[in-house]
Amino acid sequence: MNAALSPIHESGRTARYAQVVRLSKKSEWQIDRDLMQGRQFDFSRKFLPDGLSRVDALSFLTTCDARLLSQVQGRTYAYIFGLVERFISAKMLDQGRAHALDDQHALEALVRFTGEEIKHQEMFRRMEEMIGEQMPPGYRQMANPSDVARAVLAASTWAVLALTCHIELFVQSHYAESIHKDADLCPLFKDVFKYHWKDESQHVVLDELEWKDEHARLLPAQRDLAVDDLIALVAAVDGILQAQSAADVEYFVRNASREFNEREVAEIKSAVLGAYRWQYIITGVRHPHFGKLLTSMTTPAQMARIQAALAPILAA
Ligand SMILES: [Fe+2]
Ligand SMILES: [Fe+2]
């Protein structure tokens, strides 16, 4: 019998799904009762910390403009999570369906995962409405979540699970290393990402289980095509970040407290694109656990292809 399908492995796997279900039930929360509690976002404070927004690199910004740029980026941060969660929830619905007639713990874990992502999307939609009411008009979202989901879900399951695992791992490091540590941020903004992080810390366990299972199912040639898909997905993410960062800089420049010269606008553009690549690509690919998983599921030649594709993004 293949070791990957041995009863011991199977019972260990089932126990991990069951543990995720237990933790998910234990830490269950509601948007209004536990998170919002009738609060509003505090515009006298930054939303996204400097460790993610990198606004501190723009030394010519006044305190007030640095705060505004952090709030614009914070608004986009919520929008991008809502966007990716559209395809993540749809994918996990499919993954759960595949377990429907076998491991009932896996089915329950993935159904709960899907439900939590649907709740997160509602949370981010409400956040966008609340922030939109307080900020000047003209902010634009450059990609439609369902269009993006349709395109992503056309890729191989291996690649979609790899991208999902990468996203849910960087959620962990963003919260633990930046958002949690910054005492000056808007309290409600911080709490949104605290509650989000709680659920995501269980999702990464499921991402890994599902990704490894899919990897075991594929033939070498299929894995090779899946690596191409992953490279294409990261390029598509980068395309969204380029469009959104350009729109966000335009919006910021229009609403800042003073006019900027050409050189300053170019610096802001470069800093915001760099910040978005840092947030949504680099912190994920540099996450130690993601690196370990990706290395274990690729050949050296495939890894070299991925690194070559990432090189321009990392260099910028
Ligand atoms: Fe989420
Ligand atoms: Fe998640």
Side-chain angles (χ1 to χ4, degrees), residues 85 88 113 117 120 164 168 196 199-200 203-204 207:
E85 289 184 354
I88 293 174
F113 183 156
E117 294 299 23
H120 299 170
T164 303
E168 300 199 311
H196 190 231
D199 289 348
E200 301 298 321
H203 295 178
V204 287
D207 295 334

Side-chain angles (χ1 to χ4, degrees), residues 13 45 50 95 98 114 119 142 160 215 250 276 279:
R13 215 168 127 267
R45 305 219 197 179
D50 291 354
Q95 294 299 114
T114 305
K119 178 172 67 179
M142 300 306 285
V160 178
H215 184 75
E250 198 182 284
Y276 288 3
Q279 290 162 31

